[in-house]
Amino acid sequence: MDPYEYDLTPYQERLEETIVNYQIKIQHVQVEPTDPPFAYPNKHVVIMNDAYDSKISPIFILAHEIYHITQQSMDQQIYAFSPLAKQAEEKNAHLFAIRLFFQSIEEDYVPNYIAVMYALGLPLSMEHLVRQVWSEHSQFLSF
C-alpha cells in the first residue's frame, strides 16, 4: 500500500451516519464535468454530479456539502462546491469535512498532514486548513 494511501471506508461510514441522522437526501446525477456538486440546505438535499472532474475525493466533497445542511446554512439557497472559495461559510464547510476525516481515523494515530491532503486529493490552497485540524487533533492526543 502506498504510504499516502488511506482506506476511506471509516470516513465514508462516519459520513453515512451523519446523512441518516440528519435525514439528508443524496441524489446522484451525471451532467457536465465542470458542474460541481451542490447542496440545498432548506430541502435537506445534496446533488452529487458523478461526472464532476476533480482530484478531490467525492467523499470529502459530499462531507463539505453536508455541512451546509447540518449547520442550516441559510446565507444562500444553493451552495455549489468550490475548493477555492474564500467565504467563511465555505471555509467552515472545508473544516467540517477535514474534521470528519480526523474523527474517522484510529484514535491513537496522527497521520502526517501531507498524507491526509494526498489521500483526500486536496489542493495546496487547503493546506492551512488541514494543518489547523491536524494540530487540533495532535494536541487532543497529547493529553
Side-chain angles (χ1 to χ4, degrees):
M1 182 181 256
D2 184 326
Y4 293 126
E5 202 171 307
Y6 279 86
D7 176 8
L8 296 179
T9 303
Y11 186 37
Q12 176 75 36
E13 290 169 352
R14 177 74 60 132
L15 190 55
E16 288 171 6
E17 288 173 18
T18 305
I19 291 166
V20 169
N21 291 341
Y22 283 88
Q23 299 178 335
I24 299 169
K25 295 178 190 114
I26 310 299
Q27 295 182 353
H28 291 269
V29 298
Q30 291 216 356
V31 291
E32 296 299 318
T34 55
D35 293 337
F38 54 93
Y40 285 103
N42 60 347
K43 295 186 180 191
H44 276 232
V45 173
V46 174
I47 308 294
M48 290 295 292
N49 176 9
D50 294 335
Y52 184 54
D53 186 19
S54 176
K55 294 191 184 325
I56 298 173
S57 165
I59 302 169
F60 178 89
I61 294 171
L62 181 57
H64 168 104
E65 294 306 327
I66 284 173
Y67 167 85
H68 295 297
I69 295 170
T70 63
Q71 301 306 306
Q72 299 180 340
S73 300
M74 296 299 172
D75 291 346
Q76 300 171 199
Q77 288 187 1
I78 298 174
Y79 288 86
F81 180 77
S82 172
L84 302 176
K86 304 273 186 215
Q87 296 173 337
E89 189 85 21
E90 294 302 307
K91 176 184 168 190
N92 290 336
H94 293 331
L95 287 168
F96 173 84
I98 296 165
R99 285 184 179 116
L100 195 66
F101 173 80
F102 275 93
Q103 291 167 7
S104 70
I105 59 177
E106 295 177 25
E107 289 185 22
D108 59 346
Y109 176 64
V110 181
N112 177 307
Y113 78 90
I114 297 295
V116 171
M117 292 183 65
Y118 182 86
L120 298 176
L122 301 179
L124 286 176
S125 61
M126 290 189 195
E127 179 179 1
H128 68 289
L129 300 175
V130 176
R131 287 182 71 172
Q132 176 184 332
V133 177
W134 176 80
S135 178
E136 292 168 5
H137 185 76
S138 299
Q139 288 175 351
F140 175 74
L141 292 178
S142 63
F143 291 110

